[in-house]
mmCIF file of all heavy atoms in Angstrom:
data_model
loop_
_atom_site.group_PDB
_atom_site.id
_atom_site.type_symbol
_atom_site.label_atom_id
_atom_site.label_comp_id
_atom_site.label_asym_id
_atom_site.label_seq_id
_atom_site.Cartn_x
_atom_site.Cartn_y
_atom_site.Cartn_z
ATOM 1 N N ASP A 1 0.820 -1.208 0.000
ATOM 2 C CA ASP A 1 0.000 0.000 0.000
ATOM 3 C C ASP A 1 0.857 1.261 0.000
ATOM 4 O O ASP A 1 0.561 2.225 -0.711
ATOM 5 C CB ASP A 1 -0.949 -0.011 1.204
ATOM 6 C CG ASP A 1 -2.038 -1.053 1.069
ATOM 7 O OD1 ASP A 1 -2.317 -1.505 -0.064
ATOM 8 O OD2 ASP A 1 -2.627 -1.436 2.108
ATOM 9 N N ALA A 2 1.931 1.253 0.800
ATOM 10 C CA ALA A 2 2.813 2.417 0.845
ATOM 11 C C ALA A 2 3.506 2.625 -0.494
ATOM 12 O O ALA A 2 3.637 3.757 -0.976
ATOM 13 C CB ALA A 2 3.852 2.239 1.961
ATOM 14 N N THR A 3 3.928 1.536 -1.125
ATOM 15 C CA THR A 3 4.594 1.637 -2.427
ATOM 16 C C THR A 3 3.624 2.142 -3.489
ATOM 17 O O THR A 3 3.974 2.997 -4.314
ATOM 18 C CB THR A 3 5.187 0.275 -2.831
ATOM 19 O OG1 THR A 3 6.098 -0.154 -1.808
ATOM 20 C CG2 THR A 3 5.922 0.356 -4.161
ATOM 21 N N LEU A 4 2.410 1.623 -3.466
ATOM 22 C CA LEU A 4 1.407 2.077 -4.433
ATOM 23 C C LEU A 4 1.064 3.550 -4.231
ATOM 24 O O LEU A 4 0.856 4.282 -5.210
ATOM 25 C CB LEU A 4 0.146 1.215 -4.336
ATOM 26 C CG LEU A 4 0.281 -0.188 -4.929
ATOM 27 C CD1 LEU A 4 -0.877 -1.077 -4.495
ATOM 28 C CD2 LEU A 4 0.366 -0.115 -6.441
ATOM 29 N N ALA A 5 1.009 3.987 -2.980
ATOM 30 C CA ALA A 5 0.707 5.396 -2.716
ATOM 31 C C ALA A 5 1.851 6.298 -3.189
ATOM 32 O O ALA A 5 1.606 7.393 -3.706
ATOM 33 C CB ALA A 5 0.464 5.597 -1.219
ATOM 34 N N ALA A 6 3.074 5.824 -3.043
ATOM 35 C CA ALA A 6 4.228 6.631 -3.440
ATOM 36 C C ALA A 6 4.471 6.600 -4.948
ATOM 37 O O ALA A 6 5.029 7.550 -5.507
ATOM 38 C CB ALA A 6 5.486 6.143 -2.713
ATOM 39 N N HIS A 7 4.049 5.515 -5.612
ATOM 40 C CA HIS A 7 4.323 5.350 -7.044
ATOM 41 C C HIS A 7 3.060 4.878 -7.781
ATOM 42 O O HIS A 7 2.934 3.709 -8.128
ATOM 43 C CB HIS A 7 5.463 4.341 -7.263
ATOM 44 C CG HIS A 7 6.736 4.740 -6.617
ATOM 45 N ND1 HIS A 7 7.542 5.728 -7.127
ATOM 46 C CD2 HIS A 7 7.337 4.302 -5.487
ATOM 47 C CE1 HIS A 7 8.588 5.880 -6.343
ATOM 48 N NE2 HIS A 7 8.487 5.031 -5.339
ATOM 49 N N PRO A 8 2.140 5.791 -8.058
ATOM 50 C CA PRO A 8 0.902 5.399 -8.739
ATOM 51 C C PRO A 8 1.130 4.776 -10.115
ATOM 52 O O PRO A 8 0.298 4.001 -10.590
ATOM 53 C CB PRO A 8 0.114 6.707 -8.866
ATOM 54 C CG PRO A 8 0.734 7.647 -7.888
ATOM 55 C CD PRO A 8 2.148 7.204 -7.685
ATOM 56 N N ALA A 9 2.245 5.038 -10.726
ATOM 57 C CA ALA A 9 2.521 4.460 -12.049
ATOM 58 C C ALA A 9 2.713 2.947 -11.960
ATOM 59 O O ALA A 9 2.583 2.240 -12.968
ATOM 60 C CB ALA A 9 3.768 5.109 -12.654
ATOM 61 N N LEU A 10 2.996 2.422 -10.763
ATOM 62 C CA LEU A 10 3.200 0.983 -10.589
ATOM 63 C C LEU A 10 1.904 0.213 -10.311
ATOM 64 O O LEU A 10 1.927 -0.999 -10.148
ATOM 65 C CB LEU A 10 4.191 0.729 -9.435
ATOM 66 C CG LEU A 10 5.609 1.235 -9.640
ATOM 67 C CD1 LEU A 10 6.441 1.025 -8.376
ATOM 68 C CD2 LEU A 10 6.251 0.514 -10.823
ATOM 69 N N VAL A 11 0.780 0.923 -10.267
ATOM 70 C CA VAL A 11 -0.505 0.288 -9.945
ATOM 71 C C VAL A 11 -0.803 -0.907 -10.851
ATOM 72 O O VAL A 11 -1.149 -1.989 -10.350
ATOM 73 C CB VAL A 11 -1.659 1.321 -9.966
ATOM 74 C CG1 VAL A 11 -3.016 0.645 -9.928
ATOM 75 C CG2 VAL A 11 -1.515 2.272 -8.792
ATOM 76 N N PRO A 12 -0.678 -0.797 -12.181
ATOM 77 C CA PRO A 12 -1.010 -1.962 -13.011
ATOM 78 C C PRO A 12 -0.128 -3.180 -12.704
ATOM 79 O O PRO A 12 -0.588 -4.317 -12.763
ATOM 80 C CB PRO A 12 -0.781 -1.484 -14.443
ATOM 81 C CG PRO A 12 -0.782 0.003 -14.389
ATOM 82 C CD PRO A 12 -0.339 0.374 -13.007
ATOM 83 N N ARG A 13 1.101 -2.932 -12.378
ATOM 84 C CA ARG A 13 2.035 -4.032 -12.120
ATOM 85 C C ARG A 13 1.860 -4.642 -10.724
ATOM 86 O O ARG A 13 1.978 -5.852 -10.556
ATOM 87 C CB ARG A 13 3.457 -3.509 -12.274
ATOM 88 C CG ARG A 13 4.488 -4.568 -12.063
ATOM 89 C CD ARG A 13 5.843 -4.048 -12.390
ATOM 90 N NE ARG A 13 6.833 -5.085 -12.185
ATOM 91 C CZ ARG A 13 8.105 -4.900 -12.293
ATOM 92 N NH1 ARG A 13 8.568 -3.725 -12.656
ATOM 93 N NH2 ARG A 13 8.942 -5.877 -12.071
ATOM 94 N N LEU A 14 1.580 -3.810 -9.729
ATOM 95 C CA LEU A 14 1.547 -4.289 -8.358
ATOM 96 C C LEU A 14 0.169 -4.733 -7.867
ATOM 97 O O LEU A 14 0.085 -5.508 -6.915
ATOM 98 C CB LEU A 14 2.085 -3.202 -7.418
ATOM 99 C CG LEU A 14 3.541 -2.811 -7.613
ATOM 100 C CD1 LEU A 14 3.951 -1.762 -6.579
ATOM 101 C CD2 LEU A 14 4.445 -4.022 -7.540
ATOM 102 N N THR A 15 -0.897 -4.274 -8.495
ATOM 103 C CA THR A 15 -2.239 -4.597 -8.016
ATOM 104 C C THR A 15 -2.507 -6.107 -7.958
ATOM 105 O O THR A 15 -3.022 -6.588 -6.946
ATOM 106 C CB THR A 15 -3.310 -3.871 -8.856
ATOM 107 O OG1 THR A 15 -3.100 -2.457 -8.700
ATOM 108 C CG2 THR A 15 -4.706 -4.223 -8.403
ATOM 109 N N PRO A 16 -2.159 -6.899 -8.973
ATOM 110 C CA PRO A 16 -2.413 -8.345 -8.855
ATOM 111 C C PRO A 16 -1.605 -8.998 -7.722
ATOM 112 O O PRO A 16 -2.117 -9.883 -7.038
ATOM 113 C CB PRO A 16 -1.978 -8.911 -10.208
ATOM 114 C CG PRO A 16 -1.903 -7.755 -11.140
ATOM 115 C CD PRO A 16 -1.647 -6.543 -10.297
ATOM 116 N N LEU A 17 -0.379 -8.543 -7.521
ATOM 117 C CA LEU A 17 0.439 -9.093 -6.443
ATOM 118 C C LEU A 17 -0.128 -8.707 -5.081
ATOM 119 O O LEU A 17 -0.181 -9.523 -4.162
ATOM 120 C CB LEU A 17 1.887 -8.622 -6.584
ATOM 121 C CG LEU A 17 2.611 -9.006 -7.875
ATOM 122 C CD1 LEU A 17 4.007 -8.408 -7.910
ATOM 123 C CD2 LEU A 17 2.651 -10.505 -8.044
ATOM 124 N N ARG A 18 -0.586 -7.458 -4.966
ATOM 125 C CA ARG A 18 -1.179 -7.000 -3.711
ATOM 126 C C ARG A 18 -2.439 -7.798 -3.387
ATOM 127 O O ARG A 18 -2.667 -8.175 -2.248
ATOM 128 C CB ARG A 18 -1.508 -5.505 -3.789
ATOM 129 C CG ARG A 18 -1.977 -4.964 -2.443
ATOM 130 C CD ARG A 18 -2.947 -3.795 -2.595
ATOM 131 N NE ARG A 18 -3.418 -3.370 -1.306
ATOM 132 C CZ ARG A 18 -4.449 -3.925 -0.678
ATOM 133 N NH1 ARG A 18 -5.097 -4.938 -1.202
ATOM 134 N NH2 ARG A 18 -4.847 -3.489 0.498
ATOM 135 N N ARG A 19 -3.260 -8.038 -4.418
ATOM 136 C CA ARG A 19 -4.480 -8.841 -4.209
ATOM 137 C C ARG A 19 -4.129 -10.227 -3.688
ATOM 138 O O ARG A 19 -4.802 -10.768 -2.811
ATOM 139 C CB ARG A 19 -5.266 -8.953 -5.508
ATOM 140 C CG ARG A 19 -6.487 -8.083 -5.554
ATOM 141 C CD ARG A 19 -7.389 -8.459 -6.711
ATOM 142 N NE ARG A 19 -6.670 -8.590 -7.958
ATOM 143 C CZ ARG A 19 -6.698 -7.720 -8.951
ATOM 144 N NH1 ARG A 19 -7.443 -6.659 -8.849
ATOM 145 N NH2 ARG A 19 -6.009 -7.911 -10.047
ATOM 146 N N SER A 20 -3.086 -10.803 -4.233
ATOM 147 C CA SER A 20 -2.634 -12.119 -3.801
ATOM 148 C C SER A 20 -2.180 -12.093 -2.342
ATOM 149 O O SER A 20 -2.530 -12.974 -1.556
ATOM 150 C CB SER A 20 -1.499 -12.591 -4.710
ATOM 151 O OG SER A 20 -1.010 -13.827 -4.297
ATOM 152 N N VAL A 21 -1.427 -11.079 -1.967
ATOM 153 C CA VAL A 21 -0.958 -10.947 -0.583
ATOM 154 C C VAL A 21 -2.151 -10.757 0.360
ATOM 155 O O VAL A 21 -2.185 -11.328 1.452
ATOM 156 C CB VAL A 21 0.063 -9.801 -0.458
ATOM 157 C CG1 VAL A 21 0.389 -9.490 0.997
ATOM 158 C CG2 VAL A 21 1.331 -10.141 -1.218
ATOM 159 N N ALA A 22 -3.147 -9.989 -0.055
ATOM 160 C CA ALA A 22 -4.346 -9.802 0.767
ATOM 161 C C ALA A 22 -5.080 -11.132 0.967
ATOM 162 O O ALA A 22 -5.545 -11.437 2.070
ATOM 163 C CB ALA A 22 -5.274 -8.769 0.122
ATOM 164 N N ALA A 23 -5.165 -11.926 -0.086
ATOM 165 C CA ALA A 23 -5.803 -13.242 0.022
ATOM 166 C C ALA A 23 -5.005 -14.155 0.947
ATOM 167 O O ALA A 23 -5.590 -14.926 1.730
ATOM 168 C CB ALA A 23 -5.942 -13.878 -1.359
ATOM 169 N N HIS A 24 -3.691 -14.062 0.902
ATOM 170 C CA HIS A 24 -2.846 -14.873 1.793
ATOM 171 C C HIS A 24 -3.082 -14.482 3.247
ATOM 172 O O HIS A 24 -3.205 -15.346 4.114
ATOM 173 C CB HIS A 24 -1.370 -14.702 1.448
ATOM 174 C CG HIS A 24 -1.020 -15.207 0.093
ATOM 175 N ND1 HIS A 24 0.094 -14.766 -0.575
ATOM 176 C CD2 HIS A 24 -1.627 -16.088 -0.731
ATOM 177 C CE1 HIS A 24 0.149 -15.370 -1.761
ATOM 178 N NE2 HIS A 24 -0.882 -16.174 -1.867
ATOM 179 N N ALA A 25 -3.125 -13.177 3.510
ATOM 180 C CA ALA A 25 -3.353 -12.709 4.879
ATOM 181 C C ALA A 25 -4.693 -13.213 5.398
ATOM 182 O O ALA A 25 -4.805 -13.656 6.541
ATOM 183 C CB ALA A 25 -3.293 -11.186 4.932
ATOM 184 N N LYS A 26 -5.695 -13.182 4.544
ATOM 185 C CA LYS A 26 -7.021 -13.665 4.946
ATOM 186 C C LYS A 26 -6.984 -15.170 5.212
ATOM 187 O O LYS A 26 -7.481 -15.639 6.233
ATOM 188 C CB LYS A 26 -8.048 -13.354 3.863
ATOM 189 C CG LYS A 26 -9.436 -13.821 4.219
ATOM 190 C CD LYS A 26 -10.443 -13.481 3.159
ATOM 191 C CE LYS A 26 -11.804 -13.998 3.584
ATOM 192 N NZ LYS A 26 -12.820 -13.740 2.588
ATOM 193 N N ALA A 27 -6.379 -15.924 4.321
ATOM 194 C CA ALA A 27 -6.328 -17.387 4.479
ATOM 195 C C ALA A 27 -5.526 -17.781 5.721
ATOM 196 O O ALA A 27 -5.905 -18.703 6.440
ATOM 197 C CB ALA A 27 -5.721 -18.034 3.239
ATOM 198 N N LEU A 28 -4.452 -17.089 5.989
ATOM 199 C CA LEU A 28 -3.624 -17.419 7.145
ATOM 200 C C LEU A 28 -4.331 -17.113 8.455
ATOM 201 O O LEU A 28 -4.065 -17.749 9.466
ATOM 202 C CB LEU A 28 -2.293 -16.664 7.084
ATOM 203 C CG LEU A 28 -1.325 -17.142 6.006
ATOM 204 C CD1 LEU A 28 -0.163 -16.170 5.870
ATOM 205 C CD2 LEU A 28 -0.822 -18.538 6.306
ATOM 206 N N GLY A 29 -5.235 -16.153 8.445
ATOM 207 C CA GLY A 29 -5.950 -15.779 9.668
ATOM 208 C C GLY A 29 -7.215 -16.550 9.915
ATOM 209 O O GLY A 29 -7.795 -16.465 10.999
ATOM 210 N N GLU A 30 -7.687 -17.322 8.957
ATOM 211 C CA GLU A 30 -8.917 -18.073 9.151
ATOM 212 C C GLU A 30 -8.682 -19.215 10.123
ATOM 213 O O GLU A 30 -7.581 -19.707 10.264
ATOM 214 C CB GLU A 30 -9.430 -18.604 7.814
ATOM 215 C CG GLU A 30 -9.957 -17.504 6.935
ATOM 216 C CD GLU A 30 -10.420 -17.978 5.572
ATOM 217 O OE1 GLU A 30 -10.156 -19.135 5.211
ATOM 218 O OE2 GLU A 30 -11.030 -17.163 4.882
ATOM 219 N N GLY A 31 -9.733 -19.620 10.803
ATOM 220 C CA GLY A 31 -9.627 -20.713 11.753
ATOM 221 C C GLY A 31 -9.904 -20.260 13.169
ATOM 222 O O GLY A 31 -9.612 -20.957 14.114
ATOM 223 N N GLY A 32 -10.469 -19.069 13.318
ATOM 224 C CA GLY A 32 -10.853 -18.621 14.646
ATOM 225 C C GLY A 32 -9.754 -17.970 15.451
ATOM 226 O O GLY A 32 -9.930 -17.671 16.609
ATOM 227 N N THR A 33 -8.621 -17.721 14.876
ATOM 228 C CA THR A 33 -7.526 -17.099 15.602
ATOM 229 C C THR A 33 -7.799 -15.613 15.759
ATOM 230 O O THR A 33 -8.238 -14.958 14.835
ATOM 231 C CB THR A 33 -6.204 -17.289 14.840
ATOM 232 O OG1 THR A 33 -6.006 -18.683 14.679
ATOM 233 C CG2 THR A 33 -5.044 -16.696 15.586
ATOM 234 N N THR A 34 -7.539 -15.105 16.933
ATOM 235 C CA THR A 34 -7.692 -13.680 17.167
ATOM 236 C C THR A 34 -6.471 -12.978 16.601
ATOM 237 O O THR A 34 -5.353 -13.302 16.944
ATOM 238 C CB THR A 34 -7.799 -13.394 18.670
ATOM 239 O OG1 THR A 34 -8.908 -14.112 19.178
ATOM 240 C CG2 THR A 34 -7.987 -11.928 18.944
ATOM 241 N N VAL A 35 -6.711 -12.024 15.713
ATOM 242 C CA VAL A 35 -5.610 -11.280 15.103
ATOM 243 C C VAL A 35 -5.883 -9.800 15.238
ATOM 244 O O VAL A 35 -7.012 -9.371 15.380
ATOM 245 C CB VAL A 35 -5.426 -11.652 13.609
ATOM 246 C CG1 VAL A 35 -4.991 -13.086 13.467
ATOM 247 C CG2 VAL A 35 -6.689 -11.419 12.830
ATOM 248 N N ARG A 36 -4.810 -9.029 15.188
ATOM 249 C CA ARG A 36 -4.964 -7.577 15.286
ATOM 250 C C ARG A 36 -5.573 -7.049 13.994
ATOM 251 O O ARG A 36 -5.330 -7.588 12.918
ATOM 252 C CB ARG A 36 -3.624 -6.918 15.571
ATOM 253 C CG ARG A 36 -2.631 -7.045 14.440
ATOM 254 C CD ARG A 36 -1.347 -6.312 14.791
ATOM 255 N NE ARG A 36 -0.315 -6.572 13.822
ATOM 256 C CZ ARG A 36 -0.232 -6.008 12.620
ATOM 257 N NH1 ARG A 36 -1.126 -5.144 12.244
ATOM 258 N NH2 ARG A 36 0.757 -6.308 11.802
ATOM 259 N N PRO A 37 -6.368 -6.008 14.079
ATOM 260 C CA PRO A 37 -6.964 -5.458 12.862
ATOM 261 C C PRO A 37 -5.928 -4.779 11.989
ATOM 262 O O PRO A 37 -4.984 -4.179 12.498
ATOM 263 C CB PRO A 37 -7.994 -4.444 13.388
ATOM 264 C CG PRO A 37 -7.540 -4.123 14.776
ATOM 265 C CD PRO A 37 -6.772 -5.307 15.282
ATOM 266 N N ALA A 38 -6.103 -4.877 10.692
ATOM 267 C CA ALA A 38 -5.200 -4.204 9.751
ATOM 268 C C ALA A 38 -5.539 -2.729 9.755
ATOM 269 O O ALA A 38 -6.692 -2.340 9.817
ATOM 270 C CB ALA A 38 -5.358 -4.790 8.360
#
């Protein structure tokens, strides 16, 4: 998010990777574990 905010020209390149990382964070937190809010 910080990189995208600093370099909007990289949005097309980084958006699919960021989406993947967001999905990983969600999958890793599933299972009833208490996690801090993003």
